[in-house]
Structures are given as C-alpha cells and as structure tokens.
Amino acid sequence: MTTAVSVTLLTGFLGAGKTTLLNHYLHHHADSSVVIVENEFGAVGIDGQLLARGDNIRVVEVSNGCVCCSVRGEFTEAMVDLLDRRASGEMPFETLIVEATGLADPGPIIQTFFTEERLRESLRLDAVITLVDCQHIGQQLDEHPVAAAQIAFADRLLLTKTDLCDEAHKEAMLARIHRINNKAPLLAIHHGACPPGEWLNIAAFEMDDRNALTEGYHIISARADAPGRFRPFAATRAEPTPDVIQAHVFDAGTLDLKKIGAFMERCIADHGNDMLRYKGVLAIDGQPQRLVVQGVYKVVGFDYGSAWQESETPHSRLVIIGRYLPVEQLRRAFAETAS
Ligand SMILES: Nc1nc2c(ncn2[C@@H]2O[C@H](COP(=O)(O)OP(=O)(O)OP(=O)(O)O)[C@@H](O)[C@H]2O)c(=O)[nH]1
C-alpha cells in the first residue's frame, strides 16, 4: 500500500506569477519526487515550454481546454495515468503540483479530488495556493468573477508585483483581498521567491484546530535567508456586504452526531450553491476521534481523523467560505447541534 500523493493546486489569474514561482522553485529546490501538471488553455501548451526543466523534474501538460471545464475528462485521465505510472514504479513521485490556467475556477477542480474514486483514494489535496497580482487585481476583480473565486478558495495567498505598486494601492488591494478571504495567510513574494515550506506540503486542507482569521501579512524577502516580516492589516476596513465571499467560523463544544448531520444536510440543501468551500473538525459525543468534514458547493465528505488526546478539550470548529449566507441564523442552528 503506497502513501497518498500530496497535491498542491496552484491558481491565480492570468499573469499573476504562477510560472515565475514554479521556475524559482525548479531552480532552487526541485527534486525528482515532484511532478508538475501544467494546464494550458488552447491546443498548444506554452507554459510548459516556459518552465525550466531539468533532468530530474517532469512536466505533464493537459492542454485540451481549461482544466476546470474538462475535469471529468482529460484532467482526470491525466491524473489516473500518472498514478498508474507511479504504481508501476516508472515515476516514483510523492508530490504533484497542478498549475491551473489563469481563467480556471478552482471549485470544479477541487471537487474532482473528492468525487473521482481513483483520485480520492490515491491523492491528498494539500493546499490551494492562489497567486494575486497586486498591480492588476483590482481590475481583474471588477471584470472577472473567477478572480474572486480564486482568492476565495485559497488556503494561502501569495501577493506578487508589490514592487510595482505604491503603499496606498497596496493597502487598498490588501483590504479588498481580505474582504474576499479573511482566513488564508497572505505572503508578499518577489519574482517567485518563496520558500517551499510556505506553499508545498503545508497540509492546509487537513483541518487542524488553528483556524484563526488572518490579521496581517508576511513579506518574504527575495533573499532566502532573510526573515519574513509581519505587517498587520490597516485597522480601517470597510464592512463587507452579503455578496462578498467571506470566511465564517462557527465554534462549539461536543456535538450530537444526528443533529450535526441534519444541520449539514440542511445547510447544503439551502445554501450549497453559495458555499464555495467548507471545512470542519468536529468533536462528536461518545466518539474518541475527530470528525473531519470538508466540502465544495454541494459535494461533501466526512471522515474520522485523529483521536482527541487526554490533554485536549474536544472542540468543534466549522469554517464556511461563501456568500449570501444567513450567518446569524446558521450560527444559532450550529450551536443547537451541541450534545
Ligand atoms: N515586477 C514583478 N514582476 C513579476 C513578479 N512576479 C512575476 N512577474 C512577472 O509577471 C509576468 C507574468 O508572470 P507569470 O509567472 O508568467 O504568470 P502566470 O501566472 O504563470 O501567467 P499565465 O500563464 O498567463 O496564467 C512575467 O513577466 C513575470 O516576470 C514580481 O513579483 N514582480
């Protein structure tokens, strides 16, 4: 039995700096246990050619249309083919990096990792990393709804091209990004320089109990050895409106399994289309293990995770990233699932 392959989904609008990040990584850190899956929009793959390949890195291109539109077809096939080659010993990789096209909505791509049986069994979605072009993101958000979805789905946000922006623009863009996703840690990076430990194998999709909302961002220096600097967000931020995608955190103690099951069912039936992403670690009455729930829109999965230690107080936390959600009503209903 082989261990699950860790998958990092790299997303971000056209020109956000995905290829630059990958090239920086390939130049400095790549090893043969990593395979990159490039998705190109259009018949001719270009990004794959822009990547600096060495002998020890493999780049697989999926080029028949956008990965989020063809997830059940070519993308799944490409992933299954890779898994077969791994199983036969031909390609002994441990980590996959999937670079989606700049126009891809991450939602359907993430869903395949839950819904396609072979992928669900063999792959472990490690994190969704979204690159954001600080210079152009305002215009991209105004004109392309998919740019907001890419930010909303992020487990970690990497802000690029801050060197081309003045402080006022940067603060305005940070506030705007934070209104869409106030949960993902945000790091400012320069020309792709970002230590792999900040975006690869970070286990962001596996929920733990640290789910604080972000209160600032880190600035990563181009010099690998320089310590990151932390900047709190500006105190004055506009109140978000219901149509803005936001992360909502629901906390409780031990829950009743039937009640929380009914809550999740109702929540998904009524609001699934507006729940872009949700993850939870729940303490269930009489159950020694954590119940981990995660979903994308109306696709949801439940799994028992690690056991609560004696030193821990079992605690339930659900994070829902969505819009148009009746948050106070959901908060009350969630509290009522307590055992
Ligand atoms: N000034 C500046 N330019 C950057 C930075 N990061 C990336 N770039 C440039 O931005 C351009 C686009 O970067 P790419 O890495 O090709 O962007 P991408 O996200 O792969 O783009 P698509 O393939 O179109 O989706 C390139 O010319 C990069 O050199 C940065 O931090 N500062």
Side-chain angles (χ1 to χ4, degrees), residues 120-157:
R120 198 177 57 216
E121 280 169 1
S122 313
L123 304 176
R124 177 182 64 78
L125 189 55
D126 182 70
V128 179
I129 307 292
T130 302
L131 283 96
V132 182
D133 174 342
C134 189
Q135 190 184 21
H136 298 112
I137 189 61
Q139 192 183 348
Q140 290 162 354
L141 285 171
D142 289 342
E143 296 172 7
H144 306 279
V146 80
Q150 291 169 344
I151 292 175
F153 273 106
D155 292 301
R156 196 154 290 189
L157 292 156

Side-chain angles (χ1 to χ4, degrees), residues 14-20 47 99 102 161 163-164 189-191:
L14 296 170
K18 301 179 289 298
T19 307
T20 307
D47 270 4
E99 183 192 344
K161 307 191 193 178
D163 53 304
L164 302 176
I189 66 169
H190 299 291
H191 295 281

Side-chain angles (χ1 to χ4, degrees), residues 180-258:
I180 298 169
N181 185 338
N182 58 4
K183 200 180 144 286
L186 191 148
L187 292 79
I189 66 169
H190 299 291
H191 295 281
C194 185
E198 298 292 349
W199 64 280
L200 265 185
N201 290 314
I202 58 173
F205 223 82
E206 282 160 27
M207 282 266 300
D208 59 18
D209 301 331
R210 293 162 295 158
N211 251 310
L213 302 184
T214 57
E215 282 160 3
Y217 61 98
H218 285 272
I219 301 164
I220 302 242
S221 165
R223 270 181 46 227
D225 56 347
R229 280 183 299 131
F230 184 77
R231 283 272 314 271
F233 283 115
T236 47
R237 285 199 296 269
E239 275 301 304
T241 50
D243 59 327
V244 171
I245 301 159
Q246 279 188 81
H248 304 285
V249 183
F250 302 87
D251 282 300
T254 306
L255 308 181
D256 177 88
L257 184 59
K258 274 203 181 130

